[in-house]
Amino acid sequence: MPHNLPPADELSSLHARTSGLLLSPETVGTAIGLVTSVAAETVPGCAGAGLTLVDEGGAPSSSGASDEVVLRADDLQYSLGEGPCLTACADRLLVRVDDLGAEHRWPRWARDAAALGLRSAMSAPLVAGDRALGALKVYSAVRGAFQERSARVLALLGAQAAIVLAHAGSAQAAGRLSEGLRSALRSRDVINTARGVVMERRDVDGDRALAVLIAAGRHEGRTLHDVAVDLVRPGSRGRRPPDPS
């Protein structure tokens, strides 16, 4: 997948790749693997990606890691109790590390992660409603690998990963994605139409319009799909989604 796609198209690629999966009874783990695979392929500068998930008791674990070094860097965070993924989840903010050799927020983790050959990292929180589910993270062996565009892409992918997890339903028992998520991830056309409506009404570009829709879903505790359906439904001409800022 080319790295020069705009963030909105990269997000759409996640919808497209996941929709085929949802036509059959696949596991949530497979869907998570797709999310991390898309992150590894589309976030500029990425050498490895994965998810940190936090259970109801607050214990973190790794899922969908694209490379062994991701698991090793994650394990260091969990054992030391410090690191960008844990901070991103706790503070619900995107965290970027440009140079592990000069990182002072988590000195023990930065030192040990650098020994693995890593030089930069970035983590985006997975937030669904009022719950922090974990973080989507990427690592690189290059200093300063992640710039503002990388941050935008990871934040958008993190928002979609949170939707995947939030709508997994009884995944622990059934191991299948819910019908609500199946419908949401097949709704690429509806979401793109709604994005166009926001672009026209607010006179903003596609990335900003998509951010407005995602913010509306978070604010109202609804999926991106439901927000989009309401916006394009006949009679909704006067509706104005909340500004994400």
Side-chain angles (χ1 to χ4, degrees):
M1 184 177 298
H3 284 197
N4 57 357
L5 290 173
D9 288 344
E10 290 166 330
L11 180 60
S12 294
S13 76
L14 175 59
H15 288 296
R17 292 180 60 179
T18 313
S19 62
L21 163 73
L22 297 176
L23 297 178
S24 60
E26 298 288 346
T27 65
V28 173
T30 301
I32 289 174
L34 277 176
V35 171
T36 56
S37 175
V38 170
E41 293 174 2
T42 60
V43 175
C46 178
L51 283 178
T52 289
L53 303 179
V54 178
D55 65 19
E56 294 181 357
S61 62
S62 297
S63 183
S66 65
D67 191 275
E68 179 65 25
V69 72
V70 174
L71 292 174
R72 295 173 66 186
D74 286 354
D75 286 343
L76 287 173
Q77 293 194 60
Y78 308 154
S79 62
L80 295 171
E82 65 176 37
C85 292
L86 301 182
T87 299
C89 181
D91 295 345
R92 304 188 183 190
L93 295 172
L94 186 137
V95 175
R96 193 172 79 191
V97 183
D98 293 325
D99 183 359
L100 268 69
E103 179 55 57
H104 302 296
R105 287 170 291 183
W106 321 282
R108 294 177 299 166
W109 176 82
R111 179 196 63 218
D112 292 349
L116 298 177
L118 298 176
R119 294 295 177 267
S120 54
M122 187 166 58
S123 298
L126 306 179
V127 180
D130 60 352
R131 294 181 57 204
L133 306 177
L136 173 65
K137 94 293 299 279
V138 288
Y139 294 112
S140 176
V142 179
R143 291 182 179 87
F146 306 119
Q147 304 301 318
E148 291 303 317
R149 181 172 177 278
S150 302
R152 291 197 304 270
V153 173
L154 192 69
L156 290 172
L157 291 175
Q160 291 308 292
I163 291 175
V164 169
L165 295 171
H167 289 80
S170 57
Q172 304 255 331
R176 288 175 174 78
L177 296 170
S178 68
E179 277 303 316
L181 180 58
R182 294 171 190 252
S183 176
L185 292 182
R186 285 199 300 261
S187 65
R188 177 183 175 186
D189 290 343
V190 175
I191 293 171
N192 282 338
T193 299
R195 180 160 59 100
V197 171
V198 176
M199 291 171 64
E200 178 181 0
R201 292 185 188 178
R202 291 185 175 272
D203 191 25
V204 295
D205 62 18
D207 293 342
R208 178 64 173 175
L210 191 60
V212 168
L213 294 173
I214 291 172
R218 287 180 177 172
H219 178 75
E220 300 170 10
R222 300 191 301 157
T223 68
L224 178 61
H225 167 75
D226 289 343
V227 172
V229 167
D230 277 358
L231 199 58
V232 302
R233 179 180 294 135
S236 67
R237 292 293 180 183
R239 181 181 175 92
R240 182 178 175 84
D243 193 291
S245 61

